Amino acid sequence: MQPDAIESISEAADAARGGDAPAFPIGRGRKLRCRGWRQEGLLRMLENTLANGERPQDLIIYAGTGKVARNWECFHAIVRALRNLADDETLVIQSGKPVAVFRTSERAPRVLAANTNLVGKWATWEHFRELEGRGLIMYGQYTAGTWAYIGSQGILQGTYETFAAAGARTGSGTLAGHIVLTAGLGGMGGAQPLAVKMAGGVCIAVEVDRARAERRLQSGYCDAIVDDPVEAIRLAKQATATREPLGIALIGNAAELFGRLRELGLEPTAVTDQTSAHDPLNGYVPIGVSAADAEALRARDPKRYVERSLASMARHVEAMLAYQADGAITFEYGNYLRGHALEAGVANANDIPGFVPLFVRPGFCRGRGPFRWVCLSGDPADLKATDEAVLRRLPADERLRTWMKMAHAHVPIQGLPARTCWLALGERDQVGLMFNRMVSKGELAGPIAMSRDHLDAGSVAQPSRETEGMQDGSDAVADWPLLNALLNTANGADLVTIHQGAGSGMGGSISAGMTVIADGTDSAAERIARALFADPAIGVVRHADAGYEIARQARAAAGLADPMRLD
Ligand code: NAD
């Protein structure tokens, strides 16, 4: 697809720069502001991430302080650099700050970024914050620093799959007629009430910040907001009696209310949590502190704030352990809550399992993970056409079909039309090539950007989540995500990133992100075929290497020879 025109000024940068009330527009249509669709596509992904963020005015996208760029000056410089970037140049970004443009080649990535990476011994929140305060680093989380955030939908499907898997463990095989207790209605956690409903159940989600709950109510991700735990239980029991799915936000502190709800007789079938417990200073809110007062308290006495957070997390986890002892399916949802509770003295915090070994790993062994695509034209008709094409391409995938049906009914378009669905090794490259052909034949109004979460088969080492309890004990081996990023670079993905510290906080993980743009060209087809194959394939290899039989079979089926076994 050829550029129609090149605009001299970035609308996004201008809008964000000027005026008291910053707007966060996203480029749409066929009009290019950059020198090619690969650069323009990445610029739109950047804008889309910002526009969908939790606090875009501060460049904060989700998970406490996950940012898209280091500061506004850096954001504008990135936009300028993307506008001017030639088809054989690569923009290099260090923790949200553009630092250089190199002449590389047309087949190389257009953007390479490294976010939040600190040398092992120095990877502490204390040191990170000192550097952050001096403007030397930023917290990139997963899809914030990879410019691949698509709002709550991104996590909705994964969350739906998790709760559906929890439902499969109930006597009836579904969550219908069951209550799920959780907390946190932020950028990611906000998907929980709707995901539980999609799995048939009733959700009580405790949230300390009323504004967050109201946002979820407005977007249709939850149905009711209550302040009284007694009322929350009454509503939940009423709904389970008639097997009606329902999403209830209960305003208050989870560390306090989890125990209180149990005292009041709540008997949830599943218990989890998605408060931003990974960050005891800028994420979690301790007991006795309102969302409004948290900011001032953090600034006034950060040390005391962290102490109070850790003590609250201990109480929070003790309540979860009590529910577990009652027989509830209890799991940590990847926010390092157990780790902090352990620090605060809850010796058996790890009796609560993580959600990956419990529900997700068998899929990882087949390279199945959170693939997503974004329609860069902004035209909802492109989403409809691509959704239908994917369903035609994978007719036997029942889970995909169910998800798509529910997504059409429940997922509003946020920013650029986007879809996430978990695809396995061999499916992602085929779907990517199909999209590229659709663009080339003019069946779509614009190119498609394909990306994924970092929570994927081969793109992360995080011993408290994705790589928890690996069969061979290799949980903390971080060579795999680095190899993933190197492979994606070698294969010419359009953007490749390496991150540290997401999810479980500083020192807790190393991960990699990638985006590739289907602009309908032969060059895109070649790069898509290679990158979207190798990206999940290194995940299959990682799991096969750890001894998982499903992964060994998937590796053999994909024709990926093992150099250790070659004659
Ligand atoms: P967020 O910062 O956008 O939202 C966190 C929410 O928790 C906020 O609304 C906050 O008000 C609320 N909160 C904080 N302390 C609370 C308390 N004590 N009681 C009740 N509510 C409280 O974060 P997010 O993007 O929603 O992510 C939440 C957590 O989940 C993070 O730790 C993140 O790393 C983790 N996460 C996990 C996965 C996964 O794979 N499951 C994916 C993404 C994020």
Side-chain angles (χ1 to χ4, degrees):
M1 178 169 284
Q2 292 303 308
D4 285 338
I6 296 176
E7 273 188 12
S8 60
I9 297 169
S10 157
E11 294 154 355
D14 274 2
R17 194 166 24 222
D20 293 335
F24 303 98
I26 310 162
R28 290 167 196 266
R30 298 196 61 224
K31 201 166 177 183
L32 290 193
R33 298 159 296 174
C34 301
R35 292 164 75 174
W37 264 114
R38 296 173 70 190
Q39 302 90 318
E40 176 74 26
L42 295 178
L43 174 55
R44 291 185 190 192
M45 291 294 278
L46 170 73
E47 292 169 342
N48 194 49
T49 296
L50 182 67
N52 281 314
E54 292 288 303
R55 279 164 47 200
Q57 66 280 13
D58 299 323
L59 296 160
I60 287 175
I61 309 307
Y62 72 100
T65 56
K67 289 177 88 175
V68 70
R70 201 181 302 180
N71 53 40
W72 279 108
E73 193 188 354
C74 292
F75 178 87
H76 299 313
I78 290 170
V79 172
R80 269 197 309 275
L82 284 172
R83 278 183 36 226
N84 293 321
L85 201 68
D87 290 340
D88 61 352
E89 288 178 336
T90 298
L91 169 63
V92 178
I93 298 179
Q94 180 258 325
S95 276
K97 175 184 171 184
V99 289
V101 171
F102 284 99
R103 182 97 188 266
T104 51
S105 84
E106 287 193 17
R107 285 192 158 76
R110 294 286 68 88
V111 175
L112 291 173
N115 292 312
T116 332
N117 294 285
L118 288 166
V119 171
K121 279 188 190 168
W122 282 261
T124 63
W125 276 116
E126 206 178 23
H127 189 56
F128 170 80
R129 288 205 180 96
E130 186 201 323
L131 294 171
E132 190 187 36
R134 290 165 53 205
L136 298 176
I137 201 163
M138 79 159 194
Y139 190 46
Q141 249 290 346
Y142 275 2
T143 52
T146 294
W147 313 343
Y149 186 71
I150 55 171
S152 293
Q153 187 199 171
I155 194 76
L156 183 61
Q157 197 219 4
T159 314
Y160 156 69
E161 296 225 358
T162 298
F163 287 125
R169 291 179 177 228
T170 64
S172 56
T174 155
L175 277 186
H178 294 275
I179 298 172
V180 174
L181 173 64
T182 185
L185 290 175
M188 299 280 117
Q192 295 179 103
L194 181 53
V196 170
K197 277 176 65 180
M198 288 175 163
V202 172
C203 179
I204 299 179
V206 181
E207 168 56 59
V208 74
D209 185 349
R210 179 179 297 276
R212 296 290 188 108
E214 275 166 3
R215 202 164 164 182
R216 304 306 159 219
L217 190 69
Q218 276 157 19
S219 64
Y221 272 56
C222 86
D223 305 304
I225 300 180
V226 299
D227 291 275
D228 180 0
V230 175
E231 177 63 1
I233 294 176
R234 191 190 67 76
L235 284 176
K237 284 192 171 162
Q238 187 180 303
T240 49
T242 52
R243 294 171 78 84
E244 283 294 312
L246 186 70
I248 305 161
L250 171 61
I251 305 303
N253 196 299
E256 206 166 23
L257 284 176
F258 271 32
R260 179 80 190 116
L261 287 161
R262 188 165 170 273
E263 284 164 12
L264 290 168
L266 183 70
E267 291 176 359
T269 298
V271 178
T272 189
D273 171 69
Q274 275 209 55
T275 56
S276 33
H278 69 279
D279 185 344
L281 180 60
N282 292 311
Y284 196 80
V285 179
I287 296 175
V289 177
S290 71
D293 293 343
E295 213 55 58
L297 207 65
R298 284 166 175 146
R300 202 164 58 239
D301 192 348
K303 194 164 169 282
R304 176 79 192 113
Y305 188 100
V306 168
E307 283 166 8
R308 286 181 68 177
S309 274
L310 293 181
S312 296
M313 287 188 217
R315 214 167 128 187
H316 193 151
V317 165
E318 275 160 2
M320 289 174 74
L321 285 163
Y323 282 115
Q324 187 182 41
D326 293 343
I329 304 165
T330 306
F331 57 96
E332 189 205 81
Y333 214 144
N335 61 355
Y336 204 62
L337 181 65
R338 291 169 301 174
H340 281 136
L342 197 66
E343 261 178 59
V346 185
N348 60 338
N350 282 326
D351 284 357
I352 298 173
F355 75 108
V356 172
L358 210 54
F359 304 125
V360 180
R361 187 155 301 143
F364 277 176
C365 288
R366 293 186 290 112
R368 189 166 186 274
F371 180 75
R372 65 183 54 173
W373 68 92
V374 175
C375 303
L376 296 172
S377 66
D379 188 343
D382 282 2
L383 185 59
K384 187 167 182 291
T386 47
D387 275 354
E388 286 169 1
V390 169
L391 285 172
R392 277 196 304 275
R393 179 104 216 157
L394 302 166
D397 191 334
E398 262 318 307
R399 260 157 109 180
L400 175 70
R401 194 161 293 281
T402 308
W403 158 248
M404 283 277 196
K405 208 170 127 199
M406 295 204 219
H408 290 154
H410 297 287
V411 178
I413 289 179
Q414 263 181 285
L416 294 176
R419 183 67 69 223
T420 179
C421 57
W422 284 41
L423 297 184
L425 172 62
E427 294 174 346
R428 300 193 206 186
D429 53 333
Q430 291 310 310
V431 164
L433 287 169
M434 176 180 73
F435 288 168
N436 200 51
R437 282 194 298 275
M438 290 170 80
V439 176
S440 128
K441 285 185 196 160
E443 292 170 15
L444 300 174
I448 301 290
M450 291 165 291
S451 189
R452 58 159 172 73
D453 198 353
H454 294 208
L455 178 153
D456 199 1
S459 54
V460 57
Q462 180 156 220
S464 64
R465 195 161 81 189
E466 291 89 337
T467 52
E468 172 179 340
M470 292 296 288
Q471 202 158 289
D472 64 347
S474 61
D475 308 18
V477 175
D479 297 334
W480 298 102
L482 300 179
L483 290 170
N484 172 274
L486 291 171
L487 265 172
N488 278 321
T489 304
N491 284 327
D494 287 293
L495 171 141
V496 183
T497 60
I498 295 176
H499 290 198
Q500 186 276 136
S504 45
M506 283 309 125
S509 75
I510 307 262
S511 68
M514 65 90 80
T515 293
V516 58
I517 313 270
D519 62 4
T521 59
D522 291 344
S523 154
E526 192 182 307
R527 292 179 296 102
I528 287 165
R530 290 180 185 160
L532 290 183
F533 176 79
D535 184 50
I538 191 71
V540 170
V541 170
R542 191 262 179 275
H543 286 83
D545 194 67
Y548 291 92
E549 189 47 39
I550 314 174
R552 287 192 171 147
Q553 286 169 14
R555 175 184 187 144
L560 271 165
D562 181 349
M564 292 297 286
R565 287 163 198 252
L566 290 182
D567 292 334

